[in-house]
Amino acid sequence: MLQAGGGGGGGGVALPCFEEKWPVMRGVVVRLLQQEAVSQRDWQELFYCVHQVCLWDERGAAKVRDALQADVVGFIRAAAARVLSHHDEHALLAAYIAEWRRFFAQCRYLPTPFRQLETALLNKTSSSTSTSTSSSAASPSPSASASSTSGAGANANANSTSSASNASHQLAHKRPPHDDALVRKLMLDSWNHTIFHDIKQRLQDAAMRLVHAERNGEAFDAQLVIGVRESYVNLCSNPDDKLQIYKENFEAAYIQATEQFYKLKANEQLQANGVQAYMKYADNKLQEEESRAQRYLEPGSRSVTLLTRCCENVLIGAHLPTLLAECAPLIRAGETQQLHLMFRLLNRVPDGIQPMLQDLEAHIVSAGLADMVAAADIITQDSEKYVERLLELFRKFSTLIKDAFQDDSRFVTARDKAYKCIVNDTTVFKLELPSSINNRGNKSTIPESKCPELLANYCDMLLRRTPLSKRLTSEQIEARLKDVLLVLKYIENKDVFMRYHKAHLTRRLILDSSADSEKEEDMVDWLREVGMPAEYVNKLARMFQDIKVSEDLNNLFKNSTTRHDAINIKILNAGAWARGSDRVSVSLPVELEDYIPEVEEFYKKKHSGRKLQWYHHMSNGTITFANAVGRFDLDVTTFQMAVLFAWNERPQERITYENLRLATELSDPELRRTLWSLVASPKLKRQLLLYEPSVQASKDFIENTHFWINQEFALIKNGKPQRRGKINLINRLQLSTEKSQIEDNHSIVQLRILRTQEAIIKILKMRKRISNSALQIELIDILKNMFLPTKKMIKEQLEWLIEQKYMRRDDDDINTFIYMA
């Protein structure tokens, strides 16, 4: 410490300089570099000396920096000599890591006393700030000494001393957080240029050889590799990219060595062991390398991701065609474990999964259709077996997706697309629907899947009193109905299902043949939940309401007539029930004919202004048949009843076909169909009617074909005729005439045409102007829950709407349509 000299009136003051202070400072610096003990007094003295030189010596800061760098470089050169004295690779690495860790430890401590250097070199602070900063070094004497050497008066000195500790505390928080960065950078850069630059390649090569040895199963000290990596990471002094040296050297070398290693090994494994064994090898190595990378590469950086991507490219991407060639055979063989392994591997690389999806979709379509074709003889005759076969296929493919691909959404979508092809396929059986009905009356047909019709038949078997529904519990029936809804989701022409389902529901409600009325109403709710068109579902709901209203009317009618046990009327809304306006003319038995005026008169009293229309083809009844064998109750249709009553007054006579036609007034098609149900009922071993001459089908009946009552008719049970019994001859209640049955398919198409026109106008009203492609996308989205319109149908309806002035094409772009209000 320099003392101010006394003298006469204007004596000079000797200021502290670098040459005087550096020997004191250097001793502490050397001891710090060599990790020797430094007393608290020496440590605080170093702070103060740096402060004094930087404050009073104009070039002091630069001289301190240069001298410090010289001592640091000298220390590093000594360390380099010690490291390079080792010729063994492991010893070299161990020596380097030890020297580096020793040096790096001092990089955290040595810069602290030299914080003033950066501030002084950049001229960013005033002398008052410097004084306060020196006080923050926790040295009690520098404040007083600085005051005495400043030449200031006694009052100034007193003020400075009294406030020193307070100022020190306040400014300690305002100091920049990296004000020792200059010395730290100096030390790291010195290490980089003095030893690291010359030895880094040897370090890298040695570290990579150690990793290579580990990959080959050899033992070594993993801390050597970790130590090298840490030196690369901590050595960089670039504030913008702290990992620059590590990424440019260690990371790049590690990834390159990994790529070279597995390029050779992968080819050897694949050629020696085949694809399936190679997949296990690749999967194991990928897991190994990810675990190894977590140890040897810098955590928190992108190194592990880059290394993993490199391994994926070498082990999977380079052999992608070979791996994919094995996919289809594995799917066909149902090798779920191997497929899961392949999925796990190929999911790592771009576009690796897409070919697997295509293979899976192709397999499901081909295997599913082959299964359906093989069982065609069975499933075409039995809707239950058909639906069960479809559900079995769905469960089989779903299990494959779950076990092999963990229900990955992409594979589930592929399954759905393929299953949709199976459900809507027309190979096994098909429904011929007109493709269009244009204004010229020309008609052409295209095949559609018959699956909707068979699904509706299966629902009917579950909801009606049948042997199937009787042997199942309520929970089992519900589960099977839910299965039907599952298949229904994949059907394109849902409008066909709804038409047949409504027909079956009509029969069940009219004949009171539902097994469970609650299940009937539940089914309507489930159809709504799965997205069936609201207008269809609402019509079904109205049918239940009509039945309840009709029951009330029937009770009132029975109370108003004395013959209440003989008749049960159902007065229903034609809009919800009828399938056509055509009614069948028939000469009813007198017993029924007498009721009609009475019912109509009763209804007029309840609802004035309404008109009843009688649909005799939807009616039925029970008659008692008596002969020498016994008495039997027969459930028959109104048409069957009209035919049988022709023998009511002459049971022994033979009646010709022509006379029966005159007696019943039935049309030729209806009479033939009714007679055939009485002469060739599959339920009866002894037919109710006999005829001659014998024919193969009802169309072969001629005018002189004779029919007569079988006086030996009886119900046969266990090979013996019964004296009493009841049998249902109605089978499937006829809901429409022969003519309307032929036109049913055309009405489906006509309704589709109207729905398509309606949807197009709805879109145009909203958009006002729309391109052809956008219109078709929106149109399909609206109609997909009913049916999928063909391109031909869309084109025809667009042209028709243009002709009718509902819309027009844009004058400048014929593919753009404009709404015309």
Side-chain angles (χ1 to χ4, degrees):
M1 185 180 297
L2 295 177
Q3 298 289 338
V13 178
L15 300 177
C17 64
F18 167 79
E19 286 75 10
E20 181 181 352
K21 292 295 182 181
W22 176 245
V24 179
M25 298 160 61
R26 184 174 185 274
V28 180
V29 169
V30 171
R31 293 203 303 276
L32 286 172
L33 286 173
Q34 294 176 351
Q35 293 187 326
E36 296 177 0
V38 175
S39 66
Q40 184 177 5
R41 178 181 181 84
D42 291 342
W43 177 250
Q44 292 178 348
E45 185 71 15
L46 180 59
F47 274 87
Y48 184 52
C49 290
V50 172
H51 162 68
Q52 283 189 313
V53 172
C54 292
L55 181 63
W56 301 112
D57 192 334
E58 290 185 3
R59 298 187 63 254
K63 292 177 181 179
V64 170
R65 178 195 62 200
D66 296 341
L68 179 62
Q69 183 174 15
D71 281 342
V72 169
V73 170
F75 173 80
I76 293 172
R77 284 176 177 162
R82 292 190 294 271
V83 170
L84 294 174
S85 66
H86 297 279
H87 301 290
D88 179 71
E89 199 169 70
H90 287 66
L92 178 74
L93 285 177
Y96 174 81
I97 293 169
E99 292 291 347
W100 161 253
R101 287 176 175 171
R102 180 181 176 189
F103 176 77
F104 185 67
Q106 295 312 309
C107 288
R108 293 196 293 269
Y109 300 110
L110 184 58
T112 305
F114 294 94
R115 286 172 176 162
Q116 189 71 18
L117 277 180
E118 184 171 7
T119 308
L121 289 171
L122 297 176
N123 294 321
K124 290 183 177 179
T125 182
S126 63
S127 60
S128 61
T129 305
S130 298
T131 302
S132 300
T133 304
S134 69
S135 301
S136 71
S139 176
S141 57
S143 293
S145 301
S147 300
S148 64
T149 57
S150 64
N155 291 336
N157 181 36
N159 291 337
S160 175
T161 304
S162 63
S163 62
S165 60
N166 190 35
S168 170
H169 176 73
Q170 293 176 356
L171 291 175
H173 297 287
K174 297 181 180 179
R175 189 174 63 216
H178 300 295
D179 52 7
D180 60 355
L182 177 68
V183 176
R184 181 183 176 86
K185 184 176 187 305
L186 178 149
M187 295 178 69
L188 293 177
D189 288 348
S190 297
W191 182 275
N192 191 356
H193 296 127
T194 304
I195 180 173
F196 182 74
H197 185 270
D198 298 330
I199 201 175
K200 68 177 181 181
Q201 195 61 47
R202 292 180 63 184
L203 294 174
Q204 264 175 214
D205 294 344
M208 295 309 111
R209 279 191 286 271
L210 290 177
V211 176
H212 186 277
E214 183 184 16
R215 290 185 176 124
N216 286 327
E218 301 174 20
F220 74 99
D221 185 2
Q223 290 302 316
L224 295 177
V225 180
I226 295 173
V228 172
R229 182 252 296 167
E230 288 176 348
S231 71
Y232 278 72
V233 171
N234 296 323
L235 188 57
C236 186
S237 60
N238 182 359
D240 298 326
D241 187 359
K242 293 291 187 181
L243 298 177
Q244 180 182 355
I245 294 177
Y246 159 78
K247 290 191 291 189
E248 292 177 353
N249 297 275
F250 188 88
E251 178 190 276
Y254 190 97
I255 293 176
Q256 183 181 10
T258 304
E259 182 178 6
Q260 292 174 350
F261 179 84
Y262 284 111
K263 275 185 177 179
L264 178 62
K265 289 291 184 180
N267 288 327
E268 291 176 356
Q269 288 288 331
L270 190 57
Q271 293 174 7
N273 303 313
V275 173
Q276 295 190 31
Y278 174 77
M279 289 195 298
K280 293 180 181 178
Y281 169 81
D283 187 56
N284 290 335
K285 291 306 174 185
L286 284 169
Q287 294 180 36
E288 282 182 18
E289 288 302 326
E290 287 177 356
S291 176
R292 187 174 290 119
Q294 296 291 343
R295 296 197 306 272
Y296 298 150
L297 296 178
E298 178 65 11
S301 68
R302 296 182 65 249
S303 300
V304 176
T305 302
L306 294 174
L307 185 278
T308 302
R309 192 175 302 162
C310 169
C311 292
E312 290 168 350
N313 291 336
V314 175
L315 291 170
I316 305 172
H319 306 285
L320 193 57
T322 306
L323 296 176
L324 287 171
E326 195 74 11
C327 181
L330 289 176
I331 292 176
R332 288 194 295 270
E335 296 285 349
T336 54
Q337 290 185 350
Q338 291 294 329
L339 284 171
H340 179 61
L341 179 57
M342 179 177 287
F343 164 64
R344 200 162 63 234
L345 290 174
L346 269 57
N347 196 35
R348 291 171 170 269
V349 298
D351 301 324
I353 291 299
Q354 188 59 38
M356 292 188 72
L357 297 174
Q358 295 169 358
D359 287 343
L360 176 69
E361 191 173 336
H363 166 74
I364 292 177
V365 172
S366 61
L369 292 181
D371 188 89
M372 299 299 285
V373 170
D377 293 340
I378 300 174
I379 61 180
T380 51
Q381 304 298 325
D382 190 334
S383 58
E384 178 187 2
K385 287 185 172 57
Y386 170 74
V387 176
E388 287 298 329
R389 184 59 62 99
L390 275 180
L391 291 170
E392 182 183 344
L393 287 174
F394 184 83
R395 288 190 285 266
K396 174 184 174 183
F397 298 137
S398 296
T399 301
L400 175 64
I401 301 299
K402 180 180 180 181
D403 294 344
F405 309 112
Q406 302 297 298
D407 280 337
D408 183 271
S409 59
R410 294 165 294 180
F411 288 89
V412 171
T413 301
R415 178 207 63 189
D416 291 346
K417 288 172 61 179
Y419 192 69
K420 192 172 184 180
C421 293
I422 297 172
V423 169
N424 294 287
D425 182 71
T426 58
T427 303
V428 180
F429 32 52
K430 57 191 175 184
L431 174 70
E432 294 285 352
L433 285 182
S435 62
S436 62
I437 305 176
N438 56 34
N439 295 334
R440 300 175 181 83
N442 298 328
K443 301 175 183 179
S444 59
T445 61
I446 57 171
E448 285 194 17
S449 170
K450 209 174 181 181
C451 181
E453 179 183 349
L454 297 172
L455 277 182
N457 293 345
Y458 184 54
C459 285
D460 181 53
M461 293 173 64
L462 293 170
L463 294 169
R464 182 164 46 90
R465 288 191 293 271
T466 61
L468 174 63
S469 63
K470 288 178 182 177
R471 74 170 185 261
L472 298 175
T473 65
S474 177
E475 291 76 15
Q476 290 174 325
I477 291 175
E478 180 174 338
R480 294 199 179 195
L481 288 173
K482 293 290 183 68
D483 287 339
V484 170
L485 297 175
L486 171 66
V487 178
L488 183 62
K489 181 177 70 172
Y490 297 96
I491 289 178
E492 292 179 351
N493 46 342
K494 295 182 178 66
D495 54 344
V496 176
F497 169 84
M498 291 303 294
R499 178 174 286 273
Y500 281 101
H501 181 68
K502 180 186 174 187
H504 293 313
L505 177 61
T506 300
R507 289 190 183 93
R508 294 195 297 273
L509 293 179
I510 290 177
L511 297 176
D512 295 322
S513 61
S514 292
D516 187 338
S517 58
E518 289 186 7
K519 283 286 184 298
E520 293 280 11
E521 297 190 28
D522 287 343
M523 185 64 181
V524 174
D525 293 334
W526 295 335
L527 288 171
R528 182 178 284 109
E529 289 173 5
V530 297
M532 297 302 287
E535 58 181 303
Y536 289 163
V537 180
N538 291 339
K539 278 190 177 182
L540 300 183
R542 283 174 56 194
M543 293 169 70
F544 290 104
Q545 296 172 0
D546 280 357
I547 286 293
K548 292 175 183 177
V549 172
S550 177
E551 288 174 355
D552 295 337
L553 286 172
N554 187 62
N555 292 331
L556 292 173
F557 175 72
K558 287 182 176 182
N559 293 331
S560 67
T561 179
T562 58
R563 300 179 295 179
H564 56 81
D565 291 331
I567 190 168
N568 184 359
I569 61 171
K570 284 187 171 63
I571 301 175
L572 307 172
N573 189 312
W577 293 76
R579 298 184 67 183
S581 59
D582 56 323
R583 289 178 293 156
V584 185
S585 61
V586 61
S587 177
L588 296 175
V590 176
E591 290 81 355
L592 290 180
E593 194 73 44
D594 291 345
Y595 277 106
I596 292 179
E598 189 176 350
V599 172
E600 291 181 343
E601 184 64 26
F602 164 78
Y603 190 71
K604 284 180 181 178
K605 292 178 181 178
K606 297 293 181 183
H607 301 282
S608 61
R610 295 186 184 180
K611 182 180 180 181
L612 291 177
Q613 290 184 334
W614 293 89
Y615 287 84
H616 299 304
H617 60 278
M618 297 172 65
S619 303
N620 64 289
T622 302
I623 62 175
T624 301
F625 177 84
N627 61 5
V629 180
R631 295 171 64 87
F632 306 97
D633 292 330
L634 308 177
D635 290 334
V636 293
T637 66
T638 305
F639 294 168
Q640 290 172 329
M641 189 184 301
V643 169
L644 292 174
F645 266 71
W647 281 276
N648 215 25
E649 303 296 331
R650 39 187 177 178
Q652 304 296 329
E653 290 190 17
R654 297 189 175 199
I655 303 176
T656 64
Y657 175 85
E658 179 61 21
N659 287 336
L660 284 174
R661 186 178 63 79
L662 294 174
T664 60
E665 299 182 4
L666 284 170
S667 63
D668 186 72
E670 298 303 326
L671 180 58
R672 290 177 183 275
R673 181 164 58 180
T674 303
L675 284 170
W676 190 255
S677 70
L678 296 172
V679 302
S681 174
K683 293 183 177 180
L684 299 176
K685 294 183 178 179
R686 294 185 185 181
Q687 298 298 324
L688 189 58
L689 293 183
L690 302 177
Y691 70 101
E692 64 176 7
S694 179
V695 295
Q696 297 297 318
S698 61
K699 62 183 179 62
D700 299 324
F701 289 148
I702 59 176
E703 290 183 358
N704 292 325
T705 300
H706 285 78
F707 299 87
W708 65 94
I709 296 291
N710 181 7
Q711 296 300 332
E712 300 297 323
F713 171 78
L715 299 181
I716 307 300
K717 188 174 182 180
N718 297 326
K720 296 180 180 180
Q722 307 295 306
R723 296 183 59 81
R724 293 285 186 273
K726 184 175 182 179
I727 188 166
N728 187 340
L729 296 177
I730 297 173
N731 296 325
R732 290 166 57 84
L733 179 66
Q734 182 183 347
L735 297 180
S736 57
T737 64
E738 187 75 23
K739 176 183 176 183
S740 62
Q741 281 185 334
I742 295 174
E743 293 177 348
D744 264 355
N745 291 346
H746 296 299
S747 65
I748 291 175
V749 175
Q750 189 61 48
L751 185 59
R752 289 183 179 182
I753 289 173
L754 293 175
R755 292 288 179 261
T756 303
Q757 293 174 355
E758 178 185 22
I760 292 173
I761 294 300
K762 180 179 179 180
I763 294 169
L764 282 169
K765 274 187 175 181
M766 182 171 57
R767 303 295 184 199
K768 305 301 181 186
R769 178 189 186 93
I770 192 170
S771 67
N772 184 31
S773 59
L775 174 64
Q776 294 204 27
I777 291 172
E778 292 195 31
L779 183 63
I780 291 174
D781 188 60
I782 290 175
L783 299 176
K784 65 183 179 182
N785 284 336
M786 293 183 281
F787 64 95
L788 288 181
T790 62
K791 291 184 178 180
K792 181 179 180 181
M793 176 180 285
I794 296 174
K795 181 179 179 182
E796 288 177 349
Q797 300 322 305
L798 287 173
E799 295 298 335
W800 186 85
L801 290 171
I802 290 173
E803 289 178 6
Q804 301 301 316
K805 308 297 184 185
Y806 288 102
M807 54 188 285
R808 66 180 178 87
R809 295 183 186 273
D810 186 84
D811 295 335
D812 300 324
D813 183 5
I814 62 173
N815 288 319
T816 298
F817 301 107
I818 300 174
Y819 176 64
M820 297 174 65

